[in-house]
Amino acid sequence: MQEASQITYWIAFTAGILSFASPCVLPLIPSYLTYITGLSFSQLEDAHPKAKVRLTVLFHSVCFILGFSVVFVLLGAIAGIASFKFQTYLREGLGWIEKVGGMLIFLFGVHMTGLFHFGVLLGEKRIQLHKKPSGFIGTFVVGVAFAAGWTPCIGPILASILMVAATSGKVGEGIGLLSVYSLGLGVPFLLSGLLFHQFLVAFNRFRKYIRLVEIGTGVMLMAVGIMLMFKLMGRLTMYLYQWMPLQG
């Protein structure tokens, strides 16, 4: 069971990275960075920014990441608590809980691949902050607002990780999964700010593949849903653990 948890943590971390690379987040990174730091685009774009600029980007990025991480981890804790309470009274129903959760994750994946769109996932809800609150606390608030928003891209991925957390039956598992998911989303954001010039060069080359990444994300979610429905996480983990030593 512990090994299966390790697999889900890797899935959560990968989901965070894929959320960053989604069409709803990646193209907006320059706007987010100029908004939260108060720096101009030319200051960020400098191939050799001054130490003051780097520190400004670093501190504001960390505050922004902490803002959305708090919300995501709180959601994970709620999912874990609800799951724990539910299973305390209905332990015999764990099988169908996993099947329903797996089916929903599978449908999220179908939605992201574009094979079929579900109207409920197409609505875009964002908390708009027309004027950023000042200081690092203001940047933290912007991060909270970012997490509270619902976009067609990040929504299904986040909901899938929450679904996995809700089927774990452990509060710590829910907190851990969403912490790792936040890390997967936060690390690339921090690096893109500190290496903004290189980020723009890489983004211009990568932008034509964003749709392929979205399709790949959908396929991954479909696979996770199937594994959850048919309790294949444990089997996959045992296979990987048997295979890896042979490569060493």
Side-chain angles (χ1 to χ4, degrees):
M1 185 64 68
Q2 184 177 1
E3 291 83 0
S5 296
Q6 293 176 7
I7 292 294
T8 56
Y9 282 129
W10 278 110
I11 291 173
F13 183 75
T14 303
I17 295 175
L18 292 174
S19 294
F20 175 84
S22 67
C24 293
V25 176
L26 189 61
L28 298 179
I29 294 302
S31 299
Y32 274 118
L33 285 169
T34 55
Y35 182 66
I36 66 174
T37 61
L39 298 171
S40 66
F41 188 84
S42 60
Q43 287 176 296
L44 290 171
E45 192 182 14
D46 192 343
H48 303 286
K50 297 179 181 179
K52 183 179 179 180
V53 172
R54 287 189 181 276
L55 288 176
T56 299
V57 172
L58 174 63
F59 291 138
H60 279 284
S61 295
V62 169
C63 290
F64 179 77
I65 292 167
L66 287 175
F68 67 67
S69 296
V70 166
V71 177
F72 290 154
V73 171
L74 181 60
L75 289 174
I78 293 173
I81 292 171
S83 175
F84 176 77
K85 293 293 184 181
F86 189 71
Q87 291 182 38
T88 299
Y89 298 104
L90 297 174
R91 290 185 181 276
E92 295 181 357
L94 177 59
W96 68 261
I97 294 173
E98 291 180 337
K99 291 184 184 300
V100 172
M103 176 58 70
L104 289 175
I105 294 175
F106 180 84
L107 293 177
F108 288 144
V110 170
H111 170 80
M112 292 201 68
T113 59
L115 294 175
F116 187 84
H117 288 291
F118 301 95
V120 69
L121 298 177
L122 290 175
E124 184 172 347
K125 302 174 183 177
R126 291 181 185 174
I127 296 177
Q128 298 289 346
L129 295 176
H130 298 289
K131 185 178 180 181
K132 174 186 172 294
S134 61
F136 297 121
I137 294 178
T139 300
F140 178 86
V141 172
V142 174
V144 171
F146 169 81
W150 176 279
T151 67
C153 291
I154 199 175
I157 302 175
L158 176 61
S160 297
I161 301 302
L162 286 172
M163 195 65 63
V164 174
T167 59
S168 67
K170 301 176 182 177
V171 179
E173 190 81 0
I175 294 174
L177 283 171
L178 271 297
S179 297
V180 173
Y181 171 80
S182 299
L183 186 65
L185 179 58
V187 168
F189 183 88
L190 179 61
L191 292 176
S192 66
L194 294 176
L195 303 171
F196 190 74
H197 178 78
Q198 292 84 343
F199 166 77
L200 289 178
V201 174
F203 173 68
N204 288 330
R205 295 176 180 175
F206 176 77
R207 64 194 313 168
K208 60 184 177 182
Y209 301 111
I210 290 182
R211 177 55 187 153
L212 293 177
V213 171
E214 189 177 27
I215 294 173
T217 302
V219 172
M220 185 193 78
L221 293 183
M222 291 167 67
V224 171
I226 291 173
M227 287 192 292
L228 195 60
M229 277 190 289
F230 297 100
K231 298 184 178 180
L232 298 176
M233 286 285 192
R235 295 182 184 179
L236 174 63
T237 304
M238 292 301 297
Y239 172 78
L240 292 176
Y241 269 69
Q242 291 174 1
W243 181 80
M244 288 173 65
L246 295 176
Q247 302 302 310

